Amino acid sequence: MLTKHCSRCKETKDLSEFGRDKNCKDGLRFYCKLCHNTYTRAHYIANHTQVRATSIRWYKANSKRVRNHNLISKYGINLMQYNQMLKQQNECCAICKKHKSNFKQALSVDHSHKTGQVRALLCHSCNRILGQIGEDPNIALNIAEYIKRYSGSDKL
């Protein structure tokens, strides 16, 4: 069993008790996870306003990078692919056809929860509706028939 000495609590602990740090020679932090978490929590409490302001500044400066990372990790597409999809859809929701400028949020990436395959970009409302009906086409047809019956319109 390999061990390391924590420079904060002065205990010798198993290597699994130390977080990774690529800047350290052995690739592990000088402090054990418990000491690191205790220090980090105390620092955050003592400097909450400054830490929050720094985080906000970093996020604003790196928002595209964060967006790209989230798209890759959640859906397997990058920001360039997202923007290509957006352009192909004329910057509109694939279901309701409303332009992205009508929404406060960016269009959501719609994907199959069974296969993970990305399908299109949807507004928040259309994406939620799909989720609420469990992506069941029969329910979608029943909803369309219901609306048609009670709206007095034969356009559907």
Side-chain angles (χ1 to χ4, degrees):
M1 179 162 88
L2 298 173
T3 60
K4 182 174 177 163
H5 188 76
C6 174
S7 59
R8 181 152 296 224
C9 67
K10 310 293 185 212
E11 293 181 27
T12 301
K13 298 182 176 186
D14 184 60
L15 291 181
S16 65
E17 295 291 320
F18 292 84
R20 294 183 198 169
D21 186 342
K22 64 182 177 182
N23 296 319
C24 293
K25 192 174 183 178
D26 63 358
L28 299 171
R29 288 191 184 118
F30 295 111
Y31 303 151
C32 66
K33 289 177 183 177
L34 180 64
C35 289
H36 178 76
N37 290 346
T38 303
Y39 168 79
T40 302
R41 200 172 299 117
H43 176 75
Y44 182 80
I45 290 168
N47 302 292
H48 173 71
T49 306
Q50 180 184 357
V51 170
R52 183 80 179 122
T54 301
S55 292
I56 290 169
R57 272 195 315 276
W58 184 91
Y59 180 81
K60 285 181 179 178
N62 296 283
S63 59
K64 284 185 180 178
R65 180 177 159 194
V66 172
R67 177 78 170 139
N68 190 54
H69 174 79
N70 289 341
L71 286 168
I72 291 169
S73 63
K74 289 180 181 179
Y75 309 111
I77 65 170
N78 59 33
L79 189 55
M80 192 169 84
Q81 291 168 310
Y82 176 91
N83 289 332
Q84 285 173 337
M85 290 175 68
L86 193 60
K87 187 177 178 182
Q88 288 171 347
Q89 291 180 208
N90 297 318
E91 299 187 345
C92 296
C93 171
I95 294 177
C96 69
K97 308 297 185 203
K98 291 181 184 173
H99 192 266
K100 70 175 188 173
S101 62
N102 294 328
F103 309 108
K104 291 180 182 178
Q105 296 177 324
L107 295 181
S108 303
V109 178
D110 177 44
H111 65 287
S112 168
H113 287 266
K114 292 179 184 173
T115 66
Q117 182 181 2
V118 172
R119 297 185 285 219
L121 303 178
L122 305 177
C123 69
H124 182 71
S125 296
C126 290
N127 197 28
R128 285 191 52 112
I129 289 168
L130 269 183
Q132 292 294 318
I133 66 169
E135 300 179 6
D136 186 335
N138 293 324
I139 295 175
L141 288 173
N142 291 342
I143 291 171
E145 289 173 11
Y146 177 86
I147 293 170
K148 187 176 180 180
R149 184 176 348 135
Y150 289 104
S151 69
S153 171
D154 293 336
K155 292 181 182 180
L156 297 176

